[in-house]
Amino acid sequence: MRKRVSIKDVAREAGVSVTTASYVLNRKPGTRISDETARKVRAAAKRLKYVPNISARTMISQKSQLIGVIIPQTGPSHRLMFDNPFYGEFLSAVEYELREQGYHLLLSGTGPYQDYSCIAQMRSLDGIIIMGTYPSNFLEEIKQLGIPVVLVDSYIEDQYFHRVNINDRYGGYLAAKYLIDKGHRRIAFVAEKLREQGVLHERFLGYRDALAEAGITFAEQWVYEADVSYQGGFEAAEEIVRRGNGETAAFAAADIIAVGLINGLKAQHVAVPEELSVIGFDDVPLAVMSFPELTTVHQDVWEKGRQAARIVIEAGEGGKKRDVTLPLKIVERESVQDIKQA
């Protein structure tokens, strides 16, 4: 078996001390090493195919350079929801930012019997990014780890945690008001089962706010339960047609639901937007792949991931408590018809 190349081997190959080689390869700031010396060390490391020993580095520095990311499993299968482009874009941003700062990502879902605090301790995580809403006992266990935690898309009020959010209630209001301004008064709301302090519940409250502001009496039969998935939206279209409530528009609380809804309506021979307008939420790349292209509430998913990664790293280096709220706006495309002008 091939012997593992050590930092001593690299130093010998480059003709420098082990300390100098360590400074260069570990990118330690504030060290006075010439560009020529640094170039020689990196060239030697490349020739010898040197790979840093992360375990040894962790023992010395007490830092693993590893950040955990927890994704909620809310669907019936408890699988990671990578069919939703929102998570792919968010995780891409987190991974890129972490890698640029010399960190790595450990991704995990959460099952009903999983003790994530044990995983975090075994892996010696330097910080954790948690997406979504979790029971208070789960978050209390995480707090006991004593490492930085950034909550994303959570409305938990706790000074221990950093947060990166949007104003989901305002986003729901924007979506419903946009439809109302286009002349719609019977508006369906399509989302998974609502949970207190969850983002979809906040979007629902914003939808209700817009209806109330316009003097429209909310009807329970306008609410359709659907998994946050393409199939969930597709099946919701069948339910909208089956109930026959006469809605002229639908607010789908996530773009992945909205695209499934559009295609499900087509399968039911309902034209979008001529017979039923659809607005989504997120503005993921899938929104422009839909036909018609999807009008939606835009949030900067990439920036959300980037901010979460930056904050967790800064917190690990002594940074102050941070709460970030990103802006929202409507992006008009082709899936909503102005029935006042029709």
Side-chain angles (χ1 to χ4, degrees), residues 4 26 50-66 104 122-124 126:
R4 183 187 184 101
N26 291 322
Y50 168 73
V51 177
N53 187 326
I54 299 299
S55 297
R57 183 182 292 178
T58 299
M59 290 177 65
I60 295 168
S61 68
Q62 299 300 304
K63 290 177 72 68
S64 65
Q65 304 297 112
L66 194 62
H104 300 276
M122 285 189 295
R123 296 285 189 169
S124 300
D126 291 337

Side-chain angles (χ1 to χ4, degrees), residues 12-296:
R12 189 181 304 113
E13 176 77 9
V16 300
S17 69
V18 173
T19 301
T20 297
S22 176
Y23 282 157
V24 173
L25 296 175
N26 291 322
R27 299 179 179 180
K28 291 191 177 181
T31 55
R32 296 181 179 179
I33 296 173
S34 70
D35 292 343
E36 177 61 20
T37 298
R39 186 194 63 75
K40 285 167 58 178
V41 171
R42 293 191 187 104
K46 186 175 181 181
R47 283 196 302 274
L48 296 177
K49 296 182 171 60
Y50 168 73
V51 177
N53 187 326
I54 299 299
S55 297
R57 183 182 292 178
T58 299
M59 290 177 65
I60 295 168
S61 68
Q62 299 300 304
K63 290 177 72 68
S64 65
Q65 304 297 112
L66 194 62
I67 302 295
V69 178
I70 309 178
I71 303 289
Q73 304 315 295
T74 56
S77 68
H78 295 290
R79 295 183 301 175
L80 283 169
M81 298 180 290
F82 288 133
D83 55 344
N84 185 347
F86 173 90
Y87 290 102
E89 187 170 359
F90 176 82
L91 288 169
S92 292
V94 171
E95 191 281 332
Y96 177 80
E97 189 65 31
L98 292 180
R99 179 159 39 89
E100 286 292 294
Q101 301 299 323
Y103 286 77
H104 300 276
L105 179 151
L106 174 68
L107 175 64
S108 176
T110 50
Y113 307 110
Q114 184 175 17
D115 185 350
Y116 191 84
S117 62
C118 288
I119 296 175
Q121 287 175 316
M122 285 189 295
R123 296 285 189 169
S124 300
L125 297 181
D126 291 337
I128 302 174
I129 297 169
I130 302 178
M131 291 207 69
T133 302
Y134 291 83
S136 58
N137 61 326
F138 175 86
L139 295 177
E140 284 300 319
E141 289 175 4
I142 295 296
K143 283 169 64 174
Q144 300 310 309
L145 296 171
I147 60 177
V149 179
V150 178
L151 301 183
V152 179
D153 290 345
S154 172
Y155 287 88
I156 299 296
E157 295 288 349
D158 189 314
Q159 285 303 305
Y160 180 85
F161 301 111
H162 307 263
R163 294 195 305 173
V164 179
N165 281 348
I166 56 173
N167 186 333
D168 289 281
R169 185 164 184 162
Y170 177 63
Y173 168 82
L174 282 180
K177 185 177 187 306
Y178 179 83
L179 294 172
I180 292 166
D181 288 345
K182 297 295 183 182
H184 300 277
R185 297 186 67 81
R186 300 179 70 86
I187 301 169
F189 179 82
V190 187
E192 71 175 7
K193 186 175 181 178
L194 301 177
R195 294 176 295 160
E196 290 291 331
Q197 295 186 308
V199 297
L200 300 186
H201 183 255
E202 291 294 312
R203 292 172 195 178
F204 172 69
L205 293 178
Y207 155 83
R208 292 283 304 267
D209 291 342
L211 294 182
E213 181 182 82
I216 300 171
T217 302
F218 166 72
E220 290 286 350
Q221 62 265 31
W222 292 348
V223 177
Y224 297 82
E225 192 172 307
D227 290 341
V228 183
S229 66
Y230 175 89
Q231 188 62 30
F234 195 94
E235 292 172 0
E238 298 173 357
E239 183 67 11
I240 287 174
V241 173
R242 188 190 67 78
R243 289 191 199 177
N245 290 326
E247 294 100 340
T248 62
F251 168 30
D255 285 351
I256 188 71
I257 300 176
V259 173
L261 181 64
I262 288 172
N263 285 347
L265 289 168
K266 288 180 185 176
Q268 296 292 315
H269 307 291
V270 176
V272 177
E274 292 80 8
E275 295 177 84
L276 196 138
S277 293
V278 176
I279 191 169
F281 199 112
D282 289 332
D283 197 22
V284 296
L286 191 64
V288 294
M289 301 177 195
S290 169
F291 183 78
E293 291 187 1
L294 182 64
T295 293
T296 187

Side-chain angles (χ1 to χ4, degrees), residues 126 147-150 162 310-321:
D126 291 337
I147 60 177
V149 179
V150 178
H162 307 263
R310 283 191 168 185
I311 290 169
V312 78
I313 292 171
E314 289 170 3
E317 296 171 350
K320 63 181 180 179
K321 171 81 162 55

